[in-house]
Amino acid sequence: MLIIILIITVIIFILMGISFALVSNNATISGTNVAEAVVSPVQKFFSSIGSSVGGFFEFVGDMRGYKEENLQLKDEVEKQAQQIRELESYKQENQRLRSLLELKDNNADKDMVGCEIIAKDPGNWFDVFTIDKGKNYNIKKDDVVVTNNGLVGRITEVGSNWAKVVAIIDTDSSVGAQVTRTQDIAIVDGDMSLADSGRCKLSSVTNGTSLVVGDEVETSGLGGIYPKGILIGTVSEIKSDATGYTQYAIIDTAVDFERIREVLVIRMADEEPEE
Amino acid sequence: MQTQNMIRYALLVVFVFLLTVLQTTILRAVEIFGVIPNLLFSAVVCYSLTKGDWKALVFGIVCGMILDFFGGRAVGMNTLLCMYTALVCILLHGGLFNNNAFVAMIFVFLLSIAYEFFIYFFSLLIWGQTDILYALLFKILPGSVYTALVTLFIYPFARALANQWVPRRHSRR
């Protein structure tokens, strides 16, 4: 019995020696290869299960952290969205002010002052608004109000640091006008039913006038209030009155009265403002 | 008591000031069908219906003057109309079966139609703006409905401010 055990031990030692020699020479032992080939898919399967289970418990463990992180990220996104909105608002304001500045530069011969609209008419009938500058900036009654797009209206009342402007779409407004293409003279009047859509009426146009849709209408300079050449709007419709003798046109004003925020007041006097 | 009255008057001034600022600024952002409600007019009706004495008349005159001032037209039209509105409400005050927000809404709606029509008549119609149907359908009616609706929010404040001068009389009812 001892002899058999001894023999087996010797054989195993010999085999160990052979396998050690083979491994040292990077050779593959066929038995190991077979064993690895059979076991490795199973190992891989259980290993993946193991990592999944481990991952799950790790996820559960980190759940609170994820929640907090999610809230922080949401907060961050909200802040950035708010910043984008603010920047967009500044961008639009910048564009508006830039265009007003451009207009001022292009009319260096005119004495202009930039104003902000601070209040509008409290009722539904009139298109009157209040601006934030008045006598303190030498603004006077009948000064003309414009934007980079065109004519807004005129000053009707002035206080120490405010002034009231009647828009050209108001029923109380009447502007001496001329059609740019034909140089025909007419009058632009405010009309109650047109004012809501930012339009007004070009009246006193004789039938001989060849108005076409798209014609630009500007101030004629007649009447003593509005200087010549300020764009009022473009003709959008041409109609005849009940008598059929005179025609009138509907004008889309160049200024968007719904979105107007800043205006320029053309000061007719030569005096310096008290700033 | 004198101090309390002073505080109440101050609150009334703040109330009118807030309504004026709202009506001339941010209310334009919540236009419906191109019209805004007349908060001051609503306040005049609510206050006068509750108050029912000469103070309501003064309140009406003050609110009307504010509307005239911010309207940029000749001062007087709104002052007179608001004063007459307050007068009608004072006369109705004694005969009111119940004074609540719903009753105030109905009064505001009816009186607002009359008020807006007078404004239209004297400021526009006689000056050549003869499209009565447009005025009625797109200005007077929507404006009156909107004003009546906002009365729901104005009524509690106006009533509280009006009642504070006569708490005992109110508690007897």
Side-chain angles (χ1 to χ4, degrees):
Chain A
M1 187 68 179
L2 276 172
I3 293 167
I4 293 169
I5 291 171
L6 193 64
I7 290 166
I8 291 170
T9 305
V10 171
I11 291 168
I12 289 172
F13 266 106
I14 291 165
L15 286 173
M16 279 173 69
I18 293 167
S19 74
F20 182 75
L22 287 170
V23 169
S24 300
N25 293 326
N26 290 327
T28 314
I29 306 162
S30 59
T32 309
N33 194 22
V34 170
E36 283 289 337
V38 173
V39 174
S40 66
V42 183
Q43 281 177 325
K44 197 176 172 184
F45 173 71
F46 279 98
S47 173
S48 67
I49 287 178
S51 63
S52 298
V53 171
F56 174 73
F57 283 108
E58 199 178 338
F59 173 75
V60 171
D62 289 345
M63 187 75 95
R64 184 170 288 177
Y66 289 144
K67 266 188 178 176
E68 281 172 11
E69 193 180 350
N70 190 26
L71 285 174
Q72 277 176 355
L73 287 171
K74 273 184 180 171
D75 197 35
E76 191 69 25
V77 167
E78 185 54 41
K79 276 180 190 168
Q80 287 189 352
Q82 178 64 27
Q83 276 180 344
I84 289 170
R85 282 195 290 273
E86 279 174 14
L87 285 173
E88 192 61 37
S89 166
Y90 286 136
K91 188 182 163 188
Q92 284 174 1
E93 188 182 358
N94 186 30
Q95 280 171 347
R96 289 200 306 269
L97 293 175
R98 193 182 284 268
S99 55
L100 282 181
L101 194 63
E102 226 168 75
L103 177 72
K104 200 175 173 183
D105 289 344
N106 292 340
N107 293 277
D109 55 321
K110 291 190 177 82
D111 183 15
M112 291 179 168
V113 61
C115 303
E116 201 174 322
I117 293 171
I118 52 170
K120 292 199 174 179
D121 186 85
N124 295 312
W125 299 102
F126 312 113
D127 292 280
V128 179
F129 52 86
T130 310
I131 55 174
D132 66 342
K133 292 185 177 76
K135 284 176 185 165
N136 55 345
Y137 278 80
N138 203 29
I139 290 171
K140 291 197 293 296
K141 190 173 180 285
D142 288 338
D143 278 354
V144 176
V145 183
V146 295
T147 69
N148 58 313
N149 292 321
L151 185 64
V152 173
R154 67 186 164 86
I155 304 283
T156 53
E157 207 181 329
V158 191
S160 57
N161 58 353
W162 56 268
K164 286 215 162 62
V165 180
V166 168
I168 54 168
I169 55 172
D170 187 89
T171 51
D172 210 20
S173 169
S174 192
V175 184
Q178 69 177 23
V179 182
T180 310
R181 185 175 57 84
T182 61
Q183 298 293 299
D184 285 313
I185 300 295
I187 294 171
V188 170
D189 289 316
D191 185 273
M192 180 183 67
S193 55
L194 296 172
D196 286 339
S197 51
R199 296 184 296 169
C200 45
K201 196 172 170 182
L202 183 74
S203 56
S204 305
V205 184
T206 55
N207 268 349
T209 307
S210 57
L211 273 180
V212 292
V213 171
D215 267 346
E216 285 192 343
V217 179
E218 59 184 28
T219 50
S220 65
L222 301 174
I225 294 179
Y226 299 97
K228 191 176 186 299
I230 302 172
L231 181 66
I232 297 172
T234 52
V235 173
S236 62
E237 280 178 64
I238 299 159
K239 295 180 174 180
S240 290
D241 69 356
T243 63
Y245 178 69
T246 53
Q247 58 179 357
Y248 68 94
I250 309 296
I251 296 177
D252 285 341
T253 52
V255 174
D256 184 353
F257 286 95
E258 285 290 312
R259 290 180 179 78
I260 190 170
R261 297 284 179 276
E262 295 95 9
V263 293
L264 282 175
V265 176
I266 303 175
R267 290 180 288 203
M268 298 305 186
D270 297 328
E271 295 165 28
E272 286 296 314
E274 299 165 17
E275 290 186 28
Chain B
M1 192 62 188
Q2 192 69 25
T3 314
Q4 277 182 336
N5 271 342
M6 291 301 287
I7 292 168
R8 286 160 193 163
Y9 280 120
L11 282 173
L12 196 62
V13 170
V14 171
F15 179 59
V16 171
F17 177 78
L18 283 176
L19 292 184
T20 307
V21 171
L22 279 175
Q23 192 162 337
T24 53
T25 54
I26 58 173
L27 218 58
R28 285 281 163 200
V30 289
E31 276 185 359
I32 297 179
F33 301 120
V35 295
I36 57 166
N38 194 334
L39 305 183
L40 286 168
F41 181 81
S42 174
V44 168
V45 175
C46 295
Y47 187 84
S48 306
L49 278 176
T50 311
K51 193 80 182 139
D53 63 17
W54 63 272
K55 283 172 186 165
L57 209 63
V58 174
F59 186 73
I61 292 170
V62 170
C63 289
M65 284 174 76
I66 290 170
L67 285 169
D68 272 330
F69 174 73
F70 283 96
R73 299 281 169 132
V75 174
M77 174 77 74
N78 284 294
T79 308
L80 274 178
L81 288 173
C82 281
M83 186 185 76
Y84 289 140
T85 303
L87 189 65
V88 170
C89 293
I90 291 166
L91 294 174
L92 289 168
H93 167 79
L96 268 187
F97 176 70
N98 197 3
N99 184 4
N100 58 36
F102 184 68
V103 171
M105 269 177 77
I106 292 170
F107 275 105
V108 167
F109 176 69
L110 296 174
L111 290 169
S112 176
I113 289 175
Y115 166 85
E116 296 287 353
F117 182 78
F118 277 116
I119 295 272
Y120 167 65
F121 184 86
F122 289 111
S123 302
L124 296 156
L125 184 66
I126 59 173
W127 300 105
Q129 301 292 328
T130 52
D131 197 346
I132 295 178
L133 199 63
Y134 181 88
L136 192 67
L137 294 179
F138 294 94
K139 298 281 187 183
I140 297 173
L141 281 176
S144 300
V145 170
Y146 204 178
T147 306
L149 287 175
V150 296
T151 300
L152 277 176
F153 302 100
I154 291 174
Y155 179 79
F157 296 102
R159 179 166 181 159
L161 288 166
N163 267 338
Q164 281 169 339
W165 278 278
V166 282
R168 286 181 186 171
R169 183 177 152 188
H170 182 66
S171 61
R172 270 187 219 141
R173 285 184 182 177

